[in-house]
Amino acid sequence: MTTRPLGAQISHMLKSRGVDTIFGIPGVHNVEMYRGIEEAGIRHVLARHEQGAGFMADGYARATGKPGVAYVITGPGLCNIMTPMGQAYSDSVSVLVLSSCLDEAAARRGQLHQMLDQEAAAATVCDWSVEARSAEAAYTLVDRALTEFQTQRARPKHIQVPIALLGSAADPAPALRPGDHAVSGGQMVPFGLSGLDEDLAKSRKPLFIFGGGLASGSAGDTGLSTEVYVRDLLRRSGAAAFTTYAGCGLLSPEDPLSFGCYIGRPESAKIIAESDLVIAIGTELSECDLWRNTLGHEATLVRVDIDPEVLADEHRADITFQSDGVQFVDALLQSLPAETATPKWETDKIAAVRARFRAETDAERPGIADICDALRAVMPEDAMIYSDMTQFAYVAKEVWDMPHAGHWHHPTGFGTLGYALPAAIGGAVARPGLPTVCIAGDYGFQYTIQELGTAVELGLPMPILLWDNAKLKEIEDCMVASQIAPNAVVAHNPDFGKLAEAYGALACEPGSLEALQEALLAAFDADRPTLIRMTPALSG
């Protein structure tokens, strides 16, 4: 056994538990956490701001399904990463934040980086925030976090360790035992499907709603992606389906029974009311999914979720299953006939509804849908996209049918500006050699624009699609709709191309949709990130 300072032992422990990358910024208060990183064989990615480090860890976790880990300092470092922690909580992402903390904060005042209650502050935006007061406690809490990431709904965790303790000698963490951090898979309820398969067969117009809880991983023992199972479920049941934004890619754009990602459209409530059996799997049906307070169902509502809190929410489901969504779909498929069922919805009407929804989207934010079509036509099928809070993404999330589930990531719940660039960096680090794309708006991009330095430093061939309409257009539209004279919605922008080049990135401003397509493909072949500025003039 090798005795080391606890800060170094924690890095060695994380490596033994499968952590290969840490995002963060070193400081005088967490320098001991950096003693063991290189020795343990962990890659460290230096962010330019702790908010960037948190979003990078988030993007890494979404891309890999493994926890994203971040190291930050006491006080301001922890405060800066709280926004990413809140985003990870809203969107169910496994992020582990490890910070230092002052040894004594009650009897002394005026210390560097001092807060009244750092532990409690972090607790407002994560699953739990606790202080480890011994090496044994630190090891136990790390293992607890890693176990919960795999056995419960993913939520960020925060562990803080006193500065003096980080530098004190400690024995290594206990060896990983067989079965530690084992995935439970979310057990099916004891009574199985409880007759739901029979209800589905008898239903005249069954409707599924598929959410982000189904959008990653594989199903059964075949290793097939979840979308294969979900699409097979529609084929063999004759049911129609919506997906939430987080579930984008679960349904094929060619599927005649798919209503797509338009569940946030007001008219979707009337469509849901037509169904005599609604089954929602792996979705909170939150305000950010529906943009209304009620789902719209008038018949039986079935909820399937790993989180019991979701099963008891305001939608008041008639039947609930606390279950892993993928296992539930697999069990349901096993009870259905193998042959293709006759569609129970009129497919021509579904096509007409989708066309109407797209027209509504285009009318609300003109021209963006056509740009999305041009980009989608040349986008590699295995591309992973990270978007920010921008009108371009609001349109794209509805009209852009992804070929794979779990490949479009958006700050849906917390709705933080500045998410896309650092999250895309984390995703690109997680998937070397595979295409990763950032989509941001001109205003939100400036929240974390400094992370261009990290992207250049890492040599990431990442297209950054910047939607520049020279204003906070969504807020301006909101003010007009509220009969408020628009104010504080226009800000002076920098020359984004020159700014990107100052960081060492490439930059271009295509003048046509064809030039945009060429720029996108060229960016994937570059040796560094490329900022591609898009303006409303692109759509003509």
Side-chain angles (χ1 to χ4, degrees):
M1 295 175 63
T2 303
T3 300
R4 301 183 181 91
L6 176 60
Q9 296 288 30
I10 290 173
S11 292
H12 280 270
M13 178 188 186
L14 290 170
K15 177 65 174 181
S16 73
R17 268 61 169 170
V19 174
D20 55 22
T21 305
I22 290 173
F23 304 90
I25 302 176
V28 295
H29 276 185
N30 72 346
V31 66
E32 286 294 343
M33 296 166 65
Y34 280 75
R35 184 185 295 275
I37 291 179
E38 288 189 7
E39 184 184 57
I42 294 177
R43 180 185 192 183
H44 182 271
V45 175
L46 177 63
R48 287 352 187 219
H49 189 281
E50 287 89 357
Q51 188 176 74
F55 286 142
M56 289 177 195
D58 175 298
Y60 177 94
R62 297 194 199 209
T64 62
K66 302 192 301 182
V69 180
Y71 279 1
V72 297
I73 61 164
T74 316
L78 190 278
C79 286
N80 286 339
I81 205 170
M82 283 174 61
T83 296
M85 290 166 70
Q87 188 62 63
Y89 187 92
S90 294
D91 287 353
S92 303
V93 183
S94 299
V95 172
L96 176 60
V97 175
L98 290 155
S99 77
S100 54
C101 67
L102 296 176
D103 302 310
E104 171 54 57
R108 297 180 62 192
R109 285 288 179 262
Q111 300 178 78
L112 178 65
H113 300 333
Q114 186 162 15
M115 295 176 65
L116 293 179
D117 195 335
Q118 175 177 294
E119 180 182 345
T124 63
V125 288
C126 64
D127 189 21
W128 47 259
S129 170
V130 292
E131 181 175 330
R133 298 177 183 174
S134 67
E136 293 75 16
Y139 302 151
T140 297
L141 290 169
V142 168
D143 272 336
R144 173 188 167 190
L146 297 177
T147 299
E148 290 181 7
F149 285 146
Q150 298 192 58
T151 59
Q152 300 178 9
R153 181 175 181 176
R155 298 287 202 190
K157 330 281 186 182
H158 167 239
I159 301 170
Q160 63 181 36
V161 186
I163 297 167
L165 182 59
L166 285 170
S168 64
D171 290 331
L176 194 64
R177 298 165 300 177
D180 282 357
H181 311 155
V183 180
S184 71
Q187 295 299 310
M188 289 286 295
V189 288
F191 42 86
L193 293 174
S194 195
L196 181 62
D197 49 344
E198 298 174 7
D199 293 339
L200 179 61
K202 295 175 184 177
S203 174
R204 294 178 294 99
K205 297 185 82 172
L207 180 72
F208 286 100
I209 302 173
F210 299 122
L214 287 171
S216 61
S218 59
D221 297 324
T222 65
L224 294 174
S225 60
T226 306
E227 64 245 30
V228 173
Y229 278 63
V230 168
R231 295 170 188 181
D232 199 31
L233 183 56
L234 291 198
R235 180 184 67 81
R236 291 163 57 185
S237 68
F242 282 97
T243 69
T244 64
Y245 300 137
C248 178
L250 285 168
L251 299 176
S252 168
E254 288 79 32
D255 196 321
L257 289 168
S258 170
F259 284 103
C261 296
Y262 289 108
I263 197 169
R265 292 276 125 195
E267 189 186 342
S268 71
K270 295 180 180 179
I271 295 168
I272 292 168
E274 294 179 28
S275 174
D276 59 344
L277 178 63
V278 180
I279 305 174
I281 306 176
T283 171
E284 292 181 88
L285 298 179
S286 68
E287 177 190 22
C288 298
D289 292 319
L290 305 174
W291 299 114
R292 56 182 182 269
N293 294 327
T294 59
L295 179 60
H297 65 289
E298 296 180 0
T300 299
L301 172 62
V302 180
R303 298 292 298 277
V304 182
D305 205 280
I306 198 171
D307 188 349
E309 183 180 348
V310 170
L311 302 178
D313 65 12
E314 68 274 13
H315 295 295
R316 300 299 180 194
D318 302 283
I319 302 171
T320 61
F321 294 89
Q322 185 181 359
S323 170
D324 175 82
V326 177
Q327 284 195 357
F328 187 88
V329 170
D330 191 28
L332 199 53
L333 279 171
Q334 291 179 32
S335 69
L336 293 176
E339 61 270 14
T340 300
T342 301
K344 295 185 176 182
W345 292 70
E346 296 179 59
T347 56
D348 57 337
K349 289 187 177 180
I350 292 177
V353 167
R354 289 195 59 160
R356 186 162 64 248
F357 284 161
R358 179 188 166 98
E360 289 176 4
T361 303
D362 193 39
E364 291 166 358
R365 303 177 179 100
I368 296 176
D370 290 339
I371 300 175
C372 289
D373 289 345
L375 290 168
R376 182 178 55 195
V378 296
M379 187 70 68
E381 280 208 359
D382 57 350
M384 190 164 280
I385 299 173
Y386 292 82
S387 58
D388 217 321
M389 300 295 288
T390 169
Q391 284 194 326
F392 193 93
Y394 304 155
V395 173
K397 287 192 303 174
E398 292 190 297
V399 306
W400 193 318
D401 286 300
M402 294 291 287
H404 299 295
H407 276 230
W408 189 299
H409 305 292
H410 185 79
T412 301
F414 213 39
T416 57
L417 286 165
Y419 170 82
L421 176 59
I425 291 171
V429 168
R431 305 168 72 240
L434 295 175
T436 302
V437 180
C438 164
I439 295 176
D442 59 302
Y443 196 83
F445 184 60
Q446 296 180 75
Y447 275 49
T448 51
I449 195 170
Q450 67 275 6
E451 303 304 342
L452 270 172
T454 301
V456 170
E457 195 169 77
L458 296 173
L460 301 178
M462 185 172 69
I464 301 168
L465 297 168
L466 182 68
W467 177 245
D468 186 359
N469 53 19
K471 62 175 64 177
L472 289 161
K473 186 66 169 64
E474 187 72 7
I475 309 307
E476 181 183 68
D477 292 348
C478 179
M479 288 179 170
V480 171
S482 302
Q483 298 184 331
I484 298 171
N487 63 82
V489 294
V490 178
H492 174 72
N493 278 341
D495 184 320
F496 286 109
K498 289 182 179 179
L499 187 55
E501 290 171 349
Y503 272 104
L506 303 174
C508 63
E509 186 175 332
S512 66
L513 294 180
E514 293 77 13
L516 174 63
Q517 291 174 322
E518 293 172 2
L520 177 70
L521 295 176
F524 287 126
D525 291 330
D527 61 354
R528 66 192 76 180
T530 303
L531 188 142
I532 303 172
R533 181 171 176 260
M534 307 182 299
T535 69
L538 261 180
S539 61

